[in-house]
Amino acid sequence: MDCQMPELDGYGASQRLRQRYPDSGLYIIALTASAMVGDRERCLAAGMDDYLTKPLRATDLEDALQRWQKACTHFN
Amino acid sequence: MATIRRSGELLLTIINEILDFSKVEAGKLAFENSDFDLRGTLQSCLELSAGAVPQGGVDLSVEVHAAVPHCLVGDAGRLQQVITNLLGNAIRFTEPGGSVRIRVHPREKAEDRMFLLFEIEDTGIGIDAETQERLFEPFIQADSSTTRKYGGTGLGLAISRRLVEMMGGEIGVESEPGKGSVSHFTAGFGYRPEAEADPGSGSIALRGPPPSESGERNFQISPSLSRKSRRENVLPENPVQRPKLLLAEDNPVNQKVALLQLRKLGYAADAVANGVEVLAAVEQIP
């Protein structure tokens, strides 16, 4: 989920997803160009589960997907 | 903005093609050998090429013969490179309202290796006989004015030919000017018997439909993926039996890059361009 998008950004979309589907197994990985202090917290506060910065590196993406798989297995 | 983006994209394509070409020429191109889902790869090819579809739309469709195994062993990324290249050409030279079809048929089957025939048929401007012979040489285009009108580096087909040769196959084209072209290639892959193909274990579907059993039918991706409809296009079958991913990214170049990276990691994903589309896409999940 890119954080900076037109119309409804990633923060807003995540908040709404969490409100609408509170108990779903949805897993949201934030993708943001701003590697600012506090940005990660902002993403997590919006209901996202993980956080990646741009430019997106394949290894980082792979790690994030593995964290997700772990989270899913744990969840089940 | 759109122009800057397009120019950047084109430059990136040229650089990548030159890099690839020099690697192929130097014999330094590494080939992966891992399991992949052919139908998922074809879907990615369509998604990647959909951006090239002109306003007015070109009818894109894929047909995979039922005897083609679901799980193949080879380099999905390189196969995708060849297909998107041929597909890109087919789309580029086809006027709005025309059609481009991909067909995949089994050719020869050895004990652990299978050769497939890929055909990409378009209703485009066609290529004359003389050019057909030179088409797969580096830096050849139908004529120099082609570059200006239709774009392209002239390296794509030369790279494709080398890649196909590395997959043990041959590439060619049949065409009649004004009537369209059929480019085709063969390629060899390892394959798993269907009984073992189901990854079942470790599948951690997040949400979304269970993989459907479509063994008897031909796999089809249609109807047309036009510029307008491609985002909403929801495929009836889950192409890769992995959890469902949705990519939300408004920049088309970043979107393509992320989809490619996911593809390389073995994930298929749908893509949307803003939060509103995210909510709409999630709503559609049963």
Side-chain angles (χ1 to χ4, degrees):
Chain A
M1 174 87 75
D2 187 12
C3 289
Q4 292 83 27
M5 290 188 292
E7 289 187 73
L8 177 61
D9 66 16
Y11 305 110
S14 302
Q15 279 167 351
R16 271 170 229 202
L17 286 173
R18 290 304 174 209
Q19 279 162 11
R20 282 190 203 175
Y21 313 99
D23 297 318
S24 71
L26 275 177
Y27 189 88
I28 307 173
I29 303 171
L31 193 56
T32 170
S34 56
M36 308 263 288
V37 184
D39 209 60
R40 186 189 168 86
E41 286 64 35
R42 197 180 160 199
C43 291
L44 299 181
M48 302 193 221
D49 300 283
D50 204 348
Y51 171 90
L52 288 173
T53 48
K54 292 194 212 172
L56 184 56
R57 287 173 41 202
T59 47
D60 293 341
L61 179 64
E62 193 171 9
D63 290 346
L65 291 169
Q66 272 168 10
R67 286 196 291 275
W68 167 34
Q69 300 211 357
K70 262 193 205 138
C72 288
T73 351
H74 187 68
F75 187 71
N76 290 333
Chain B
M1 264 308 276
T3 315
I4 298 173
R5 225 170 242 173
R6 257 199 305 277
S7 320
E9 240 175 298
L10 180 63
L11 195 57
L12 191 64
T13 313
I14 295 172
I15 294 169
N16 280 336
E17 289 191 347
I18 291 174
L19 283 177
D20 262 354
F21 189 67
S22 31
K23 271 195 230 157
V24 176
E25 290 296 280
K28 287 205 173 133
L29 202 67
F31 256 68
E32 269 180 48
N33 219 17
S34 40
D35 290 6
F36 70 97
D37 175 276
L38 176 69
R39 287 143 180 95
T41 302
L42 291 167
Q43 196 207 339
S44 299
C45 292
L46 282 194
E47 282 167 3
L48 283 173
S49 305
V53 170
Q55 220 84 46
V58 168
D59 187 50
L60 294 183
S61 60
V62 176
E63 197 186 305
V64 182
H65 192 277
V68 174
H70 281 255
C71 188
L72 297 174
V73 185
D75 192 324
R78 294 303 172 189
L79 174 65
Q80 183 167 318
Q81 198 176 349
V82 176
I83 296 172
T84 42
N85 192 277
L86 298 178
L87 191 58
N89 281 336
I91 293 171
R92 205 156 50 210
F93 294 103
T94 300
E95 301 291 328
S99 67
V100 176
R101 297 192 194 298
I102 307 178
R103 280 188 300 265
V104 186
H105 285 268
R107 254 301 177 65
E108 296 153 46
K109 198 168 174 178
E111 202 171 310
D112 57 349
R113 207 158 170 76
M114 183 173 220
F115 280 82
L116 300 178
L117 171 67
F118 295 79
E119 291 177 298
I120 291 103
E121 182 179 11
D122 66 60
T123 58
I125 60 172
I127 309 156
D128 64 63
E130 195 203 333
T131 313
Q132 282 175 38
E133 283 175 26
R134 299 180 303 149
L135 206 58
F136 296 95
E137 300 298 323
F139 300 111
I140 292 292
Q141 291 194 325
D143 71 72
S144 48
S145 63
T146 310
T147 316
R148 254 168 292 129
K149 187 171 174 199
Y150 299 101
T153 60
L155 270 180
L157 290 175
I159 296 167
S160 297
R161 187 177 78 178
R162 300 295 200 283
L163 293 179
V164 165
E165 285 167 359
M166 289 173 80
M167 292 188 275
E170 284 174 3
I171 195 167
V173 67
E174 263 125 56
S175 180
E176 219 178 299
K179 290 199 174 158
S181 313
V182 184
S183 46
H184 48 83
F185 66 94
T186 48
F189 301 94
Y191 69 96
R192 307 209 177 281
E194 286 302 296
E196 291 174 29
D198 186 356
S201 65
S203 116
I204 43 155
L206 184 57
R207 300 187 66 172
S212 53
E213 296 299 329
S214 61
E216 301 305 312
R217 281 175 294 123
N218 280 346
F219 174 87
Q220 294 212 352
I221 302 174
S222 58
S224 64
L225 263 134
S226 75
R227 196 169 264 257
K228 267 173 284 158
S229 70
R230 72 179 197 272
R231 287 220 168 100
E232 287 76 35
N233 189 37
V234 176
L235 297 168
E237 299 177 50
N238 204 357
V240 176
Q241 284 147 19
R242 288 266 199 139
K244 190 97 182 132
L245 284 186
L246 181 69
L247 173 73
E249 162 68 65
D250 60 320
N251 178 311
V253 177
N254 289 345
Q255 203 182 79
K256 269 186 204 177
V257 171
L259 283 174
L260 262 180
Q261 288 180 339
L262 286 169
R263 180 76 241 154
K264 279 200 175 153
L265 295 171
Y267 291 86
D270 291 330
V272 293
N274 63 51
V276 178
E277 292 180 3
V278 169
L279 296 179
V282 172
E283 215 159 272
Q284 301 227 326
I285 300 173

